[in-house]
Amino acid sequence: MTQGGAVNTAFKLYPPWWRDRYLKEAQRVTDDLIESGRTRWRIVLNLSGGALRARLTARGMPMKVEPWARRTNASIVLATAPTLGVIPLMLTIRQVPAIPGGSGWTMPSSHIATTLYLVLLLGFVALISTVIWGYTSLSNGLLTRGTNGRGLRVMARVPGYLTVLAVVLVVASIVIEPHRLVYHGNSSIPLNGHPLAAHDLWVAAGVAICLCWLASVVLLAWVAHRAELPVASLHSGTRVSVAVSIFLWTMSAAALAMSTVYSKQISELSGIRVQSVILGQSLLLLGIVLCVLSIASTIGSVLTSRSWKVTSHLAR
Amino acid sequence: MGLKRLGRTQDPTILVLTSLTGGPKHGYSLIQDIESMSGVTMGPGTLYGVLARLEEEGLVEALPAEDRRRPYRLTSLGAATLRERLETISNVARIGLARLRT
């Protein structure tokens, strides 16, 4: 008897160690249940729940270094991957921390908002720095292990090279940008430089960053599936996971607090108030998305810490 | 209806261990036996989650498979653990029933 497509897919959700150990007999039980009249969708739901539990708890997983190291790999990816969602989100922020209007007059709540905005930005900078540190350790680990395929070893370098390229393009763009001369008080005219080329370089830098983002997604997926990393890389990956979760929660808290501050700003100028409420709503949305990403990252870092304990114990 | 309101009272671990007291059984016969014994319809995801946990704790052991059917049997540790657990449940049941009668 052949298994249904959905049933087979549900079995694929299980971790490899589980499939090695239980797949054949579980398939046989499933065949018997279908034959006895049990509905397929109930079996699929039950198997999917079982797969989730098997992945989260790892109960019954053989006490060998390889599967536990692979589990640590995958958990590190789960904990750090939300960063890739944060980068485009942060680019959507187009607000200024002071009350809009440009009159130079600010309310006390604006100072709180300014501080929270700084916390958000500092959290983001810390997050990116942590991820760069993690990436360095990851790529070194991938390159030192001879068992990793050539494709993966090449892929390990790609995000780094693309980041360097983007930085070079941005610097080049700034260098060749025209120096401006103030003319007649308000207007300015280009004194020298290459404005069109500078613009093109900016666009190229943007493309490089986008490609870097895509390459990071591919690299993380690859690492989660089949990479082998030395124990030292797994150790630093564990610390990176915890740090990423902490910075994500910091950013979430800052965004949510900012949304409250902006939503409650009441000004005599109704136009400013409307603008504040809109800012508050968009920041609330940002805060909620950041919270979801933080939860995913926290689950990943908790799993990483547990797996790492077992892996390091077995590797001794 | 009343039992449903109380929620899920049957622990699948106890059900699997109790079913194995009647001798070694493979997955499908475990599911059938549990259903006839307690009315609980267990799925393969739940069953193999429980078996993995029990095997890890040394409470059950797998026997050689025949035609993709692998029987499991209770170990002596599993029997002792189950006895202890059932005695506790039985004690609670006895006290509860006695109090209901008064």
Side-chain angles (χ1 to χ4, degrees):
Chain A
M1 186 182 185
T2 55
Q3 299 279 343
V7 174
N8 274 334
T9 309
F11 276 126
K12 281 180 190 159
L13 296 176
Y14 277 91
W17 65 265
W18 190 96
R19 290 201 297 268
D20 290 345
R21 171 67 185 81
Y22 296 107
L23 182 65
K24 282 182 185 167
E25 46 185 306
Q27 277 178 331
R28 178 66 200 243
V29 171
T30 308
D31 287 345
D32 289 341
L33 285 172
I34 291 170
E35 224 163 75
S36 70
R38 184 84 62 93
T39 48
R40 232 171 251 265
W41 67 266
R42 274 186 68 187
I43 292 173
V44 170
L45 278 181
N46 188 264
L47 285 173
S48 307
L52 185 66
R53 272 196 303 276
R55 285 202 177 267
L56 289 178
T57 63
R59 296 301 299 265
M61 192 158 128
M63 293 305 265
K64 289 177 186 166
V65 180
E66 291 78 23
W68 279 97
R70 269 206 302 273
R71 181 177 162 80
T72 312
N73 264 2
S75 309
I76 292 169
V77 169
L78 176 63
T80 50
T83 310
L84 294 173
V86 171
I87 295 166
L89 270 181
M90 286 300 286
L91 294 177
T92 62
I93 297 181
R94 287 277 182 274
Q95 58 96 41
V96 280
I99 276 204
S103 63
W105 170 82
T106 54
M107 294 171 73
S109 55
S110 293
H111 297 300
I112 301 170
T114 310
T115 311
L116 290 169
Y117 185 63
L118 281 175
V119 171
L120 184 70
L121 287 184
L122 284 174
F124 183 62
V125 170
L127 182 73
I128 295 299
S129 312
T130 310
V131 167
I132 290 171
W133 163 43
Y135 166 72
T136 313
S137 171
L138 172 74
S139 58
N140 283 340
L142 289 172
L143 295 173
T144 51
R145 270 282 166 114
T147 45
N148 290 317
R150 190 181 149 76
L152 181 57
R153 289 150 68 96
V154 170
M155 198 68 210
R157 295 187 178 101
V158 173
Y161 287 153
L162 284 169
T163 307
V164 171
L165 176 67
V167 170
V168 169
L169 288 171
V170 168
V171 170
S173 166
I174 291 167
V175 168
I176 68 166
E177 213 177 17
H179 301 286
R180 289 178 187 278
L181 176 70
V182 177
Y183 188 67
H184 283 309
N186 289 329
S187 59
S188 60
I189 55 160
L191 186 64
N192 53 23
H194 307 277
L196 287 176
H199 176 262
D200 290 346
L201 286 175
W202 263 109
V203 173
V207 171
I209 292 291
C210 288
L211 288 174
C212 175
W213 187 88
L214 282 174
S216 305
V217 173
V218 173
L219 180 64
L220 281 181
W222 209 331
V223 167
H225 275 95
R226 62 180 75 155
E228 279 186 25
L229 288 168
V231 174
S233 296
L234 291 177
H235 189 204
S236 58
T238 307
R239 287 186 287 179
V240 167
S241 303
V242 175
V244 163
S245 305
I246 292 169
F247 294 136
L248 278 174
W249 278 116
T250 309
M251 290 173 69
S252 310
L256 289 175
M258 272 172 81
S259 79
T260 313
V261 169
Y262 274 113
S263 300
K264 288 189 174 170
Q265 263 178 353
I266 297 167
S267 164
E268 287 172 5
L269 303 168
S270 58
I272 292 174
R273 188 178 177 225
V274 169
Q275 224 170 332
S276 290
V277 170
I278 292 169
L279 275 174
Q281 285 168 349
S282 56
L283 282 166
L284 178 66
L285 190 67
L286 174 73
I288 290 169
V289 177
L290 281 173
C291 275
V292 172
L293 294 172
S294 307
I295 290 167
S297 174
T298 306
I299 292 170
S301 64
V302 169
L303 293 177
T304 305
S305 303
R306 285 183 186 171
S307 299
W308 165 244
K309 271 183 198 164
V310 181
T311 310
S312 61
H313 174 74
L314 293 170
R316 263 181 226 141
Chain B
M1 188 70 185
L3 272 177
K4 269 187 184 171
R5 232 182 279 154
L6 280 175
R8 191 172 156 174
T9 49
Q10 289 101 337
D11 178 358
T13 312
I14 300 289
L15 292 175
V16 170
L17 287 174
T18 308
S19 175
L20 289 177
T21 51
K25 287 185 187 71
H26 57 76
Y28 184 60
S29 25
L30 271 169
I31 290 175
Q32 281 182 313
D33 188 46
I34 288 167
E35 195 165 359
S36 65
M37 184 172 68
S38 63
V40 172
T41 319
M42 202 179 268
T46 313
L47 176 71
Y48 281 97
V50 172
L51 283 174
R53 203 166 74 229
L54 293 175
E55 227 187 331
E56 187 189 52
E57 288 169 5
L59 304 181
V60 302
E61 64 185 359
L63 298 171
E66 285 169 20
D67 187 25
R68 294 195 297 154
R69 280 192 168 128
R70 188 187 292 279
Y72 289 85
R73 77 166 164 219
L74 203 59
T75 61
S76 49
L77 177 66
T81 310
L82 179 66
R83 184 171 296 114
E84 198 181 315
R85 188 86 178 90
L86 289 178
E87 275 167 5
T88 312
I89 294 169
S90 156
N91 248 354
V92 173
R94 197 168 35 78
I95 294 168
L97 287 170
R99 284 180 184 173
L100 280 171
R101 266 184 235 117
T102 56

